[in-house]
Amino acid sequence: MKKEKAVLLGVAAAAGAALGGAAVYLKKKNICPRCEIKKALSKTKIHYSKDSLYNNGTCAVPPMGWSSWNLFKNKIDENVILDIARAMKISGLADAGYVYVNLDDCWQSSMRDENGRLQGDLTTFPHGIKWLVDEVNAMGLKLGIYSSNGTFTCEDLPASLYHERTDAETFAEWGVEYFKYDFCHNVPLPSKAPFIDSILIGGAGISREEEYSAQNAVLTGEAKLVKEDGGKSYIKGLCSGIGAAEFKGITVPEDGEYVLTIVMRKSDSKDKFCQVTVNKTDKYGILIPPTKAFSREGRLQLVVKLKKGENTVELTNPVGSAADSAAMQYEKMGAELKRATALYAEKNNCEEKPILFSICEWGKNRPWKWASKAGNIWRTTPDIMPHWASIIGIYEVNVRLNKYAGPGAFNDPDMLEVGNGDLTVQENMSHFSLWAMMAAPLILGNDIRSFVKEDGTCDNDNKILNILKNEEIIAVDQDKLGIQCVRIKSNGVADVLVKPLADGSVALCFLNKGPVKVNVKCAVKDILNLASVRLPSAQSYNCRDLWEKTEQEISESVEAGVEPHGVRVFKLSAVK
Ligand code: GLA
């Protein structure tokens, strides 16, 4: 036998022996190896399967407005916000489409009020947020607000995890119309599930709790009835989405709310989570703390809606991965916002003011895969900064995500830095154009008060203001097809982007990321090849430069010089 072959056989024999040993060990410890493999795989996937868009009617095209964070950070107060709103009107930005005035972090007091509700900082927002909403609405603008999907915000102020219903109701009562939900101090949902003994139904019209025992549940996946030493059996294997237990034939006399009690075996010192699905549609979640008690069994209670006659109750824990947890927590807040605005309108007999839901978990859990089901827009990247490297770094991530955007649901590469830091005029124009090409939210982050002159009129010559008010670039962003541009060419320095528009034309952008001027050329046939493009094939095309405001007729290709860190943006339409 050759030496290498002998070595290989030796290694295989040793591995076999090790595996055999591991199997004996796992069996002794009552651990199911298949379940362990499934749990490990579950951590790498997203199990989010809801297939409809969040769609609350707020975001057919990307939102436009201003936010306090990029410029003011924690130094905000109601006077600054009102000055900004006034400047939005005077500068003509409001007429150009910028309508949201968004409070970012640091609007809140560190104390919730006596009813457990969030409240504005007691000294910087002395009139309260409802008053501010009314003032901003009176100017024809909308107010946005901020919290975190965590126990505190990024500036360590009270936040909305575990307070979703109360906070959504508060925002709806105040009349807020935009809600950014950050991810600081998040506590992920655990992927462990409790061991189930039985479920009990009590409450309305039922004199005694009725028991449905584990033995009668239909078990799927890795869910199993396991007998313990004391002789009692429990359902195990419901964690990480690998198994489910369904109780059928749960009969109640009338439609209504009932108390569902889950009797669980207190097992170990890990956090657990159980999702209850009633009649395949209504979902409820219960968090279970690590076990410290003396007694063996615990009662977990929920009030659930049941219908007259037979019902089903399914128990599982679908959380396999960090992304599952984030998706479920954001989905919960999104559902509470919808519920709260509808409820407020019903109670007050007024028109519903839906709240645009902006998910901000910085792209950590691939939100482009699930966030359109939970909210309207989702951050795809870490925080932007006012320099070229940050803008291009963010662009490089976001530009690849074009297939996930569409009407009602947009990638959010973060708020604009146009007018901030040391960005050159060229860089500001490029930043603005790229965000428009990517159908990104246009949320300004600069000091728009500087657009108002001392005499209270608009500074029409302001270069930054004129960038932000370029109506043809805004129209590219706001196009009702809601398609994010496709990058059709890149040589590492120069990129060519194409965005189909609703009138059958296309927006074409040449970007120069580098420090020296370049010449860029794009053949019309490369644009026509794109599936989403509706531009008809023609003898010649009108090519309008959306910054220079000039036009030329071209037939086969568009060619242009692009300044360092610059862009050229054209609108291409067929000549009839
Ligand atoms: C995070 C967000 C920012 C901003 C701050 C506020 O960093 O990504 O956009 O909201 O928190 O603290």
Side-chain angles (χ1 to χ4, degrees):
M1 199 186 309
K2 286 236 166 76
K3 199 173 158 205
E4 296 88 56
K5 204 170 169 192
V7 170
L8 275 178
L9 282 177
V11 170
L19 279 177
V24 172
Y25 172 80
L26 290 173
K27 202 161 176 204
K28 249 193 193 160
K29 290 262 170 194
N30 204 3
I31 295 171
C32 143
R34 196 180 51 238
C35 303
E36 294 309 308
I37 293 168
K38 281 195 175 173
K39 278 191 251 170
L41 286 176
S42 189
K43 282 202 172 73
T44 64
K45 295 184 189 145
I46 303 174
H47 301 98
Y48 200 82
S49 65
K50 243 183 97 198
D51 48 13
S52 57
L53 278 186
Y54 180 65
N55 202 2
N56 57 350
T58 59
C59 203
V61 294
M64 292 174 67
W66 176 91
S67 159
S68 59
W69 183 253
N70 285 0
L71 180 72
F72 292 112
K73 302 279 184 289
N74 62 339
K75 301 274 183 297
I76 48 170
D77 60 51
E78 62 183 31
N79 294 324
V80 164
I81 300 301
L82 288 176
D83 284 346
I84 289 285
R86 281 182 210 110
M88 207 124 138
K89 298 285 291 181
I90 299 169
S91 61
L93 285 168
D95 287 340
Y98 299 90
V99 288
Y100 293 104
V101 177
N102 293 347
L103 304 176
D104 205 280
D105 210 344
C106 301
W107 64 269
Q108 332 72 329
S109 166
S110 64
M111 294 190 298
R112 284 181 175 261
D113 73 7
E114 62 279 12
N115 300 314
R117 302 193 148 215
L118 290 172
Q119 56 185 344
D121 184 294
L122 297 172
T123 43
T124 52
F125 290 86
H127 291 92
I129 306 302
K130 169 93 182 85
W131 174 86
L132 192 60
V133 170
D134 292 344
E135 292 290 305
V136 168
N137 285 174
M139 292 187 228
L141 302 169
K142 302 175 178 191
L143 196 96
I145 213 151
Y146 162 99
S147 186
S148 181
N149 193 352
T151 47
F152 293 95
T153 69
C154 300
E155 289 280 339
D156 313 317
L157 288 160
S160 301
L161 185 66
Y162 315 135
H163 297 273
E164 291 87 353
R165 178 153 295 185
T166 313
D167 293 355
E169 285 181 356
T170 307
F171 302 148
E173 275 168 33
W174 288 345
V176 159
E177 290 175 82
Y178 189 113
F179 176 56
K180 170 171 164 183
Y181 203 29
D182 221 324
F183 205 51
C184 283
H185 295 287
N186 175 261
V187 183
L189 292 168
S191 58
K192 281 213 124 213
F195 299 160
I196 308 296
D197 168 88
S198 55
I199 63 170
L200 312 169
I201 299 290
I206 299 182
S207 50
R208 217 163 41 87
E209 280 180 326
E210 272 166 30
E211 181 178 342
Y212 298 83
S213 79
Q215 276 81 0
N216 298 328
V218 179
L219 305 180
T220 48
E222 298 301 330
K224 276 188 191 60
L225 205 55
V226 180
K227 208 174 217 159
E228 291 208 335
D229 291 347
K232 230 174 169 324
S233 298
Y234 298 94
I235 301 169
K236 297 188 178 177
L238 301 183
C239 39
S240 304
I242 65 169
E246 190 176 35
F247 294 82
K248 293 188 169 167
I250 293 168
T251 313
V252 293
E254 295 301 335
D255 285 3
E257 292 192 324
Y258 292 84
V259 179
L260 166 67
T261 304
I262 300 169
V263 181
M264 64 163 237
R265 157 88 161 91
K266 294 189 169 174
S267 56
D268 59 28
S269 57
K270 301 255 169 54
D271 283 306
K272 294 177 203 69
F273 177 70
C274 183
Q275 181 170 280
V276 178
T277 308
V278 176
N279 294 328
K280 310 251 183 242
T281 50
D282 297 351
K283 290 191 168 29
Y284 306 81
I286 315 181
L287 276 172
I288 303 132
T291 288
K292 292 233 165 60
F294 301 110
S295 50
R296 190 178 167 91
E297 265 144 18
R299 284 161 63 89
L300 307 168
Q301 289 198 320
L302 274 179
V303 175
V304 294
K305 275 198 186 133
L306 298 178
K307 59 176 174 29
K308 180 178 174 179
E310 294 201 348
N311 296 267
T312 61
V313 168
E314 188 203 61
L315 305 183
T316 184
N317 180 349
V319 181
S321 59
D324 289 337
S325 165
M328 287 172 67
Q329 290 171 328
Y330 277 101
E331 185 197 1
K332 182 174 172 61
M333 191 48 158
E336 290 298 345
L337 291 171
K338 277 186 175 169
R339 177 188 164 276
T341 53
L343 193 70
Y344 183 80
E346 193 187 312
K347 272 194 186 155
N348 295 279
N349 199 16
C350 59
E351 212 176 298
E352 184 175 351
K353 255 175 151 186
I355 299 177
L356 188 150
F357 186 24
S358 155
I359 291 172
C360 174
E361 56 76 85
W362 322 302
K364 263 183 92 152
N365 296 292
R366 289 171 287 161
W368 43 91
K369 298 262 186 192
W370 50 264
S372 63
K373 326 289 193 299
N376 298 111
I377 58 175
W378 53 91
R379 276 275 296 278
T380 53
T381 54
D383 289 11
I384 195 164
M385 275 173 284
H387 52 73
W388 185 244
S390 164
I391 288 158
I392 289 302
I394 285 179
Y395 156 79
E396 285 294 347
V397 175
N398 200 69
V399 75
R400 293 173 163 85
L401 301 172
N402 58 297
K403 73 171 188 207
Y404 300 103
F410 296 98
N411 290 309
D412 175 6
D414 207 354
M415 301 166 291
L416 292 162
E417 292 283 18
V418 176
N420 286 342
D422 295 329
L423 292 172
T424 63
V425 172
Q426 202 59 253
E427 290 170 342
N428 280 312
M429 285 162 63
S430 300
H431 175 21
F432 194 59
S433 307
L434 292 176
W435 264 231
M437 290 298 291
M438 294 191 292
L442 298 180
I443 305 295
L444 311 177
N446 63 317
D447 193 351
I448 61 179
R449 295 171 306 178
S450 67
F451 302 149
V452 180
K453 292 193 288 194
E454 267 183 18
D455 64 2
T457 60
C458 174
D459 180 4
N460 287 316
D461 301 328
N462 189 298
K463 282 208 177 79
I464 299 297
L465 178 60
N466 289 325
I467 291 175
L468 298 175
K469 283 204 319 193
N470 183 329
E471 58 187 24
E472 289 181 287
I473 299 290
I474 294 176
V476 169
D477 179 78
Q478 297 288 295
D479 185 79
K480 63 175 188 296
L481 283 186
I483 297 181
Q484 177 172 329
C485 66
V486 186
R487 173 157 65 183
I488 62 165
K489 271 211 270 189
S490 176
N491 64 4
V493 175
D495 288 3
V496 177
L497 308 170
V498 173
K499 183 180 196 288
L501 303 176
D503 64 2
S505 65
V506 296
L508 173 68
C509 174
F510 294 167
L511 163 69
N512 176 6
K513 296 179 262 188
V516 286
K517 188 169 177 177
V518 292
N519 207 47
V520 182
K521 188 171 173 184
C522 173
V524 174
K525 70 170 174 21
D526 293 341
I527 299 173
L528 297 179
N529 277 344
L530 286 179
S532 54
V533 162
R534 300 179 188 176
L535 187 69
S537 174
Q539 292 285 318
S540 61
Y541 299 87
N542 180 279
C543 181
R544 178 167 170 78
D545 186 319
L546 303 188
W547 285 110
E548 304 285 324
K549 309 289 181 194
T550 54
E551 277 173 26
Q552 54 167 320
E553 214 165 293
I554 57 111
S555 53
E556 281 178 4
S557 60
V558 183
E559 192 169 359
V562 192
E563 296 296 328
H565 297 184
V567 285
R568 300 292 297 270
V569 186
F570 307 100
K571 183 170 171 168
L572 213 60
S573 39
V575 175
K576 303 228 165 69

